[in-house]
Amino acid sequence: MAKYSVILGNVGNFSDRYMTCGYQKEYTLEELFDRVKSIKGVTGVELVGTWHITPDNAKRVKENLERTGLELVSIIPENFGRPEYGKGAYSSKDAAIRRKAVDETKEIIDIARFLGGDLLSLWPGQDGYDYHFQGDYLEEHGWFIDSVRECCKHRPDVKISIEYKPREPRNFSYPATAASTLLMVNEVGLPNCGVTVDYGHGTAAHENVAESVAILKKYGDKLFHIHMNDNYGEWDDDMITGSIHTIPFIEFFYWLKRTGYDGYISTDQYPYREDGRDACNESVRWFDILYGMADKIDDAEIKKIYQTGNACEISAFLRKLMFNDTSK
Amino acid sequence: MAKYSVILGNVGNFSDRYMTCGYQKEYTLEELFDRVKSIKGVTGVELVGTWHITPDNAKRVKENLERTGLELVSIIPENFGRPEYGKGAYSSKDAAIRRKAVDETKEIIDIARFLGGDLLSLWPGQDGYDYHFQGDYLEEHGWFIDSVRECCKHRPDVKISIEYKPREPRNFSYPATAASTLLMVNEVGLPNCGVTVDYGHGTAAHENVAESVAILKKYGDKLFHIHMNDNYGEWDDDMITGSIHTIPFIEFFYWLKRTGYDGYISTDQYPYREDGRDACNESVRWFDILYGMADKIDDAEIKKIYQTGNACEISAFLRKLMFNDTSK
Amino acid sequence: MAKYSVILGNVGNFSDRYMTCGYQKEYTLEELFDRVKSIKGVTGVELVGTWHITPDNAKRVKENLERTGLELVSIIPENFGRPEYGKGAYSSKDAAIRRKAVDETKEIIDIARFLGGDLLSLWPGQDGYDYHFQGDYLEEHGWFIDSVRECCKHRPDVKISIEYKPREPRNFSYPATAASTLLMVNEVGLPNCGVTVDYGHGTAAHENVAESVAILKKYGDKLFHIHMNDNYGEWDDDMITGSIHTIPFIEFFYWLKRTGYDGYISTDQYPYREDGRDACNESVRWFDILYGMADKIDDAEIKKIYQTGNACEISAFLRKLMFNDTSK
Amino acid sequence: MAKYSVILGNVGNFSDRYMTCGYQKEYTLEELFDRVKSIKGVTGVELVGTWHITPDNAKRVKENLERTGLELVSIIPENFGRPEYGKGAYSSKDAAIRRKAVDETKEIIDIARFLGGDLLSLWPGQDGYDYHFQGDYLEEHGWFIDSVRECCKHRPDVKISIEYKPREPRNFSYPATAASTLLMVNEVGLPNCGVTVDYGHGTAAHENVAESVAILKKYGDKLFHIHMNDNYGEWDDDMITGSIHTIPFIEFFYWLKRTGYDGYISTDQYPYREDGRDACNESVRWFDILYGMADKIDDAEIKKIYQTGNACEISAFLRKLMFNDTSK
């Protein structure tokens, strides 16, 4: 049985580089929690550091978790939205910035424990580079790994899961793909260090994300967390899951089940022009449909499919699975 | 009611640059016709010049058309598979090659009439360029238009429909997108000159092909023919229609219907590793499903959707249309 | 002799969807003008409506123009950065928003004349759609054209130049490519309506922008204005011109010269993490190098190149042109 | 000092899926060797199994190597151009095919030793999948690794270097990126197993290949071989190196030098419409220019660049390095 959660900010307001003021109205913390809670089937919530959770408001957040009964699924430290982090956090060329990023992350780890959480999903958005000859790749990969390792050692009972993304806001991110992030995580070399798959980041990296799930299983068993959304295949459009693709998600959910993933499946969207609560609700409704189809795949039937890999048989199998169509 | 056809070679053998000998076995002309005929719902066939139809075998082709009862939907002149056309046909830098391409096209027009056809789908695959500073764009666009205009004038009762593609085999094709081809077609300025949409070529050009259908309607009413297949969004993978995408095809078929398209919908695939007949059959089975969904869209309901463009309402509308899901 | 200008905001501060507060510090209008003025070779400036120029500050802007001696090259009306325009301006589903967009544009036209300008570069960033089944393409293309036509008629002595972009902030923009925008402009059907090429937008649309210049010449002679920057080929990264590509810019400048373009060449960058003034200066320095190379191409030599299109001769020609390398 | 080689077939004839007969004329083995030999600065040659080298013609090949004095740089086993390998070789669903692929590879290893070579560059082009639900990723990654490990154990004095490519001829390849291939190579776990970087494959995978060189250094020191060509960033266009990009190659060569790569740099092109010998010659001429620029970068100067990563300083540094331009 899949467990669904929502990143708190997904039901709020959204800016881009042209509409810096935001497309929507602002909501209070309590309203955001209520909006998440109102989505049928959602039992967890993710928070972003500084945007939703700080040392100062931890008690208020705890009250909201208790009031709504939502589980704290993860905290995403915010080291990508303040100018001091504009050129990187864990791999910054400036040792003082790396120090600050690590110290803040440790603080967030402690807050996560205080709130009953055991997972940080790191999205080091500014760790990377824009121009040729800008990044000293050997140095900066090394700094990144050292920083993350130190965070992981702070509390072995809290998992640190690195969310990869090929680009944006940097033109090249260091944790760029499932495979490149696994290389880093294996170099960190600690059991509480793993990988977050954001479906749309994988797609923007031109991965077949179902295969990425298998890769994360095979080369270290390191899939710690899932973020969901949809896009057109080239950029992190952060749209409603299921609004563009159908079959790829069924395969993805099949491989989650096949590899025994039992964590939360979380929305991670930017519904700039939609009501955020409704847009997350739509994703969850599609989760039910698409996960449901993956769930009803017959083991013997799929095994037979894989034995030959005949694309015409796959096509007929999917027509039947999706639309109960059995025409020849 | 949609009409379906198949390009004859789609049920045959396929090569690529590494497997020049072909992945499959070869079939006789008669076998190819029989294989097309065996696909339920297919009533038409398209032929490729030199590969399937020449002045020498026109009678044999006619017998096959009569024997199978398949309608000749179009002929695609072959001016992309012989070395003399390797650097272009209608826009070749060599006037003698342009002459040859035009003369051969006129000959094919006459053959089409002999076989009962009234449509040529031109796919000028070699007309374009590979390197910067290689194409003299002004000259070559001009030559292309002059050549096509001369073909169009040969017989006003035969339509000449230009199939665009952003690239391959050239790195840049001259008829590259729906819009750039419309500019050319409008410059040709004859009623029998129009545009063929290959769904996968449009996708590889990063078009939302449903919008391309509307553009072809609005700026000249020039959509003359349709080729179908699926791909991952970056290259002309020529896969089974419906094997990757679902919703985009429903929108596409909706816009075909909305704009009054009443021509054939033809497969155009390269099932390298599949049985070609079975792969085309799967596409046609998906046409039935996806066109069927487009067909049952309620006019009042979709009009209401378009009035606001609310993405959450669209999502709920599609869940209901596709899977009869009405959860809130 | 090329004329260079800078969009005023290019030397200021920059936000993205994560760093909404901006990566840099803010500058006063006077400081921005001074920073543009300090770049050697720049003689013009472009302004963005509401961000830099409103009815209220027109006099102050005029004083800055006079003080610095910079020519007003164009104004870009801002109908993409206020929430009321979040779902479109000239093609909005809401007739009142279309009205407002047109009225504001007319007002900006009058201000441009007051400031000595004769060009508006329209960038209708929000005119487009995100989701399948969201845009009623026939209606909305029609509204777009009607709105722009009304603006063009306001003052025939002011050119209205539409800047295309394939996507962002919408997932699909209506004026998406050089060719699709030409179709619109030709439908507007007025001599003061044309097209702005943003080099990076063209690249993100997978155009060879040199060919786009030729297309704009051939199908209407409609190239009215140029914006410059560089990117990796898939997104509007808005980087320093010349920081990634070299040869493609030489070809582009060659075709500007070949087609007789005599307008301004303007930077349009988003140097998030750089000093904006220095980043624009670097682009202008590269303009000098790359335009200089295009300028010294010998007519007879290039004509010979185009006669055969031999890629090896092109390569040797470029080695010599760029690096004076004549090795065999 | 860089060492240059050419893949023998690069100076021959080329087919694609439309021009299966080839764009050029055929050459004898002796002619191919002579054509490679005629390129100034080339001292090595690579061979493709079955196309150039078999057990039957090994002696004739040896004579050609001796006659021309060219060093055998590597052999690329051919398990992608015969129909039995159409659905995979080392990871085929059919155990008999996997057996055959491994046995043939061992045979090629022995031939390489006979010819004085110590490197196989494996390009497992058919190992991958096309459709969702076609590949059993866990099984097939496992089979791939087992097959390669067995090859590596055959002779520890011959290096087995896996050449990754994101796609083509399969829509998804198993060794897809530098990082995913490193995961496989590290799983093989033998010192003679490494990675071949094909510059264009890396680019088509949207890698900054200079960073890939650093990654291959950092996470296992596994860069064994280099193939060179150029493309537009989305597909393996296999063009003349330097015909599109300039700065990215300078950075790439800088990182080769920085990480101590001392192997051959080989052309790997498909000059469909060019004379192959001349096209390879052009690449080698550009190697001289671009490698030469990387080579003259001053250590202290670049160290200072990396300390801040200031994009404007990088831009000025490159203007000076490339064009001796020092304008401010």
Side-chain angles (χ1 to χ4, degrees), chain D residues 122-139:
Chain D
L122 295 200
W123 176 62
Q126 303 286 2
D127 287 285
Y129 57 98
D130 299 315
Y131 284 87
H132 290 292
F133 283 107
Q134 188 169 52
D136 187 332
Y137 313 121
L138 284 175
E139 286 274 38

Side-chain angles (χ1 to χ4, degrees), chain A residues 93 129 131-137 141 145 174 179-180 184 206 208 211 219 248 251 255 258 306 309 311 314, chain D residues 93 129 131-137 141 145 174 179-180 184 206 208 211 219 248 251 258 306 309 311 314:
Chain A
K93 290 168 185 288
Y129 57 97
Y131 284 86
H132 290 291
F133 283 107
Q134 187 169 53
D136 187 331
Y137 312 122
H141 274 257
I145 287 162
Y174 283 134
S180 74
M184 291 169 153
H206 302 284
N208 177 19
E211 187 190 357
Y219 301 99
E251 193 198 20
W255 276 93
R258 165 93 178 259
Y306 280 127
I314 295 167
Chain D
K93 290 168 184 290
Y129 57 98
Y131 284 87
H132 290 292
F133 283 107
Q134 188 169 52
D136 187 332
Y137 313 121
H141 274 257
I145 287 162
Y174 283 135
S180 75
M184 291 168 152
H206 301 283
N208 177 20
E211 186 190 357
Y219 301 100
E251 193 197 20
R258 165 92 178 260
Y306 280 127
I314 295 168

Side-chain angles (χ1 to χ4, degrees), chain C residues 9-67:
Chain C
N10 285 198
V11 298
N13 192 10
F14 305 92
S15 296
D16 62 29
R17 62 170 168 153
Y18 306 112
M19 192 75 76
T20 52
C21 58
Y23 285 82
Q24 311 274 343
K25 68 166 190 150
E26 297 293 332
Y27 295 91
T28 66
L29 191 71
E30 281 67 30
E31 287 171 329
L32 292 174
F33 268 91
D34 289 343
R35 283 162 70 80
V36 169
K37 178 64 182 174
S38 75
I39 301 173
K40 192 176 59 182
V42 170
T43 57
V45 68
E46 289 191 64
L47 307 174
V48 177
T50 78
W51 297 2
H52 311 132
I53 175 78
T54 64
D56 292 342
N57 80 342
K59 198 155 162 290
R60 183 175 164 200
V61 167
K62 190 163 199 172
E63 287 163 2
N64 273 283
L65 288 167
E66 288 167 355
R67 179 175 63 80

Side-chain angles (χ1 to χ4, degrees), chain A residues 81-323:
Chain A
R82 284 167 285 164
E84 59 266 38
Y85 288 123
K87 295 182 175 180
Y90 303 113
S91 68
S92 170
K93 290 168 185 288
D94 181 341
I97 297 292
R98 299 199 299 273
R99 182 75 267 141
K100 181 179 162 81
V102 169
D103 288 346
E104 284 188 5
T105 304
K106 290 179 181 177
E107 192 174 52
I108 290 285
I109 291 171
D110 294 336
I111 293 174
R113 290 308 296 146
F114 168 73
L115 297 174
D118 68 350
L119 175 68
L120 253 63
S121 194
L122 294 201
W123 176 62
Q126 303 286 2
D127 287 285
Y129 57 97
D130 299 314
Y131 284 86
H132 290 291
F133 283 107
Q134 187 169 53
D136 187 331
Y137 312 122
L138 285 175
E139 286 274 38
E140 292 167 26
H141 274 257
W143 289 328
F144 187 86
I145 287 162
D146 291 344
S147 295
V148 171
R149 189 185 289 120
E150 183 178 341
C151 296
C152 288
K153 285 184 171 168
H154 181 62
R155 285 197 70 146
D157 57 346
V158 172
K159 285 173 282 181
I160 305 283
S161 185
I162 303 172
E163 181 172 343
Y164 64 91
K165 186 177 182 183
R167 56 186 321 209
E168 197 220 7
R170 304 313 295 265
N171 290 331
F172 289 91
S173 309
Y174 283 134
T177 65
S180 74
T181 308
L182 253 182
L183 289 170
M184 291 169 153
V185 162
N186 290 343
E187 191 82 5
V188 168
L190 293 171
N192 64 327
C193 190
V195 178
T196 295
V197 165
D198 179 292
Y199 189 92
H201 296 181
T203 300
H206 302 284
E207 298 178 358
N208 177 19
V209 196
E211 187 190 357
S212 303
V213 168
I215 285 173
L216 290 167
K217 185 71 183 180
K218 181 162 186 62
Y219 301 99
D221 200 9
K222 286 295 192 185
L223 177 56
F224 279 16
H225 193 44
I226 301 286
H227 283 170
M228 295 296 296
N229 50 71
D230 210 343
N231 67 44
Y232 286 98
E234 295 195 281
W235 188 258
D236 185 30
D237 301 319
D238 276 335
M239 298 165 79
I240 295 169
T241 305
S243 60
I244 303 170
H245 292 93
T246 310
I247 291 171
F249 286 115
I250 301 174
E251 193 198 20
F252 173 73
F253 284 126
Y254 167 78
W255 276 93
L256 283 189
K257 206 187 150 203
R258 165 93 178 259
T259 56
Y261 177 77
D262 62 0
Y264 267 89
I265 293 166
S266 196
T267 69
D268 185 352
Q269 306 177 208
Y270 257 69
Y272 300 99
R273 297 168 188 82
E274 289 77 48
D275 179 85
R277 183 265 163 209
D278 291 353
C280 290
N281 180 62
E282 281 303 318
S283 283
V284 175
R285 302 285 65 81
W286 280 103
F287 293 169
D288 276 341
I289 294 172
L290 300 165
Y291 192 99
M293 284 178 184
D295 204 37
K296 76 177 180 188
I297 291 176
D298 178 72
D299 277 348
E301 195 175 3
I302 192 70
K303 197 174 168 187
K304 195 155 158 288
I305 293 278
Y306 280 127
Q307 268 167 4
T308 64
N310 182 311
C312 300
E313 289 177 15
I314 295 167
S315 174
F317 160 76
L318 287 168
R319 288 190 286 116
K320 179 157 174 285
L321 178 71
M322 293 163 69
F323 299 113

